[in-house]
Amino acid sequence: MANHQDETRAAYDGVVELYASLFANRLETRPFARAMIGTFAELVRATGNPRAADVGCGPGHLTAMLHELGLDAFGLDLSPGMVDHARRAHPALRFQEARMESLPIEDGALGGVLAHYSMIHTPPGELPELLAEQVRVLAPGGLLLVSFFGTDGPEPVRFDHKVTPAYSWPADHLAGLLADAGLVPFARLLHDPASERGFLDAHLLARRIDRADR
């Protein structure tokens, strides 16, 4: 995992300003993603625990959006360049460099975790470890929103992302991994973004269940 993450960190460190400029509008042109994040924030608030992590926060644009939606949101990212940009762009919010498989968060502390296209570079065999870590930091009843590139095939598909290699996932396959990790997927949204890659934009919303209920 270390080599893959080192490559991903270096790739994103090299495109910080360009990447930030492309996503500065905070989803104004992506109504479906905006709706799912709004739903996620509303449901997290309803748990009574508004603390939420934007895991793989990049330049911090969605961390700021979660904050505006009423969550006590903070951002974590593998790339120190992205974390530095996020801190400068959103000085009132908290950002920290971190690896997704070892989040600097205590067990059961969060009402929500947002993983917005932040696990797409993870090789399929390593994804269960990341999901287990996200479940660890969620309180029972806490929510995870995963956004990713969807595919109609039976298996994940590796492709050449503009920053560094990535994977698209069949929604049912990824939903099964969420269930295996101790989450109950209860909502999904798949839509065609008219992408030249031919993938769907996909969003899965899941809730952590108490161990006693499993």
Side-chain angles (χ1 to χ4, degrees):
M1 185 176 291
N3 288 340
H4 143 67
Q5 291 199 349
D6 290 344
E7 293 171 3
T8 300
R9 181 177 59 241
Y12 275 95
D13 274 346
V15 296
V16 172
E17 298 305 323
L18 174 61
Y19 189 91
S21 69
L22 291 174
F23 295 100
N25 64 15
R26 291 191 296 179
L27 307 183
E28 275 85 349
T29 61
R30 299 178 63 191
F32 294 108
R34 189 170 67 246
M36 286 298 284
I37 291 175
T39 299
F40 165 77
E42 180 178 346
L43 294 175
V44 172
R45 292 197 309 269
T47 70
N49 179 359
R51 191 177 178 205
D54 180 7
V55 178
C57 65
H61 56 302
L62 296 186
T63 315
M65 183 177 178
L66 293 178
H67 175 74
E68 292 172 3
L69 291 170
L71 299 186
D72 178 14
F74 60 97
L76 304 170
D77 201 276
L78 178 67
S79 161
M82 289 291 183
V83 170
D84 179 67
H85 179 97
R87 287 171 173 166
R88 288 185 282 107
H90 309 285
L93 301 180
R94 293 165 290 149
F95 297 95
Q96 182 177 346
E97 186 180 345
R99 290 179 178 266
M100 294 181 73
E101 80 280 7
S102 56
L103 299 174
I105 304 167
E106 59 271 27
D107 293 355
L110 302 183
V113 171
L114 175 67
H116 188 80
Y117 294 90
S118 57
M119 295 191 291
I120 62 172
H121 304 295
T122 303
E126 298 174 8
L127 195 60
E129 182 179 354
L130 268 59
L131 293 175
E133 181 68 353
Q134 293 174 27
V135 171
R136 179 188 68 79
V137 302
L138 280 172
L143 293 118
L144 170 66
L145 175 58
V146 180
S147 298
F148 58 100
F149 293 109
T151 183
D152 292 328
E155 298 294 335
V157 176
R158 187 179 186 273
F159 68 94
D160 291 328
H161 186 272
K162 291 180 179 178
V163 179
T164 190
Y167 298 84
S168 65
W169 281 83
D172 286 341
H173 192 156
L174 188 51
L177 292 183
L178 295 177
D180 290 344
L183 296 156
V184 176
F186 64 91
R188 67 175 66 182
L189 174 61
L190 306 175
H191 66 95
D192 183 354
S195 167
E196 69 276 8
R197 298 190 187 100
F199 297 130
L200 300 172
D201 274 346
H203 312 270
L204 285 173
L205 188 54
R207 189 184 306 274
R208 180 185 168 180
I209 56 174
D210 195 304
R211 290 181 183 275
D213 296 331
R214 296 184 67 177

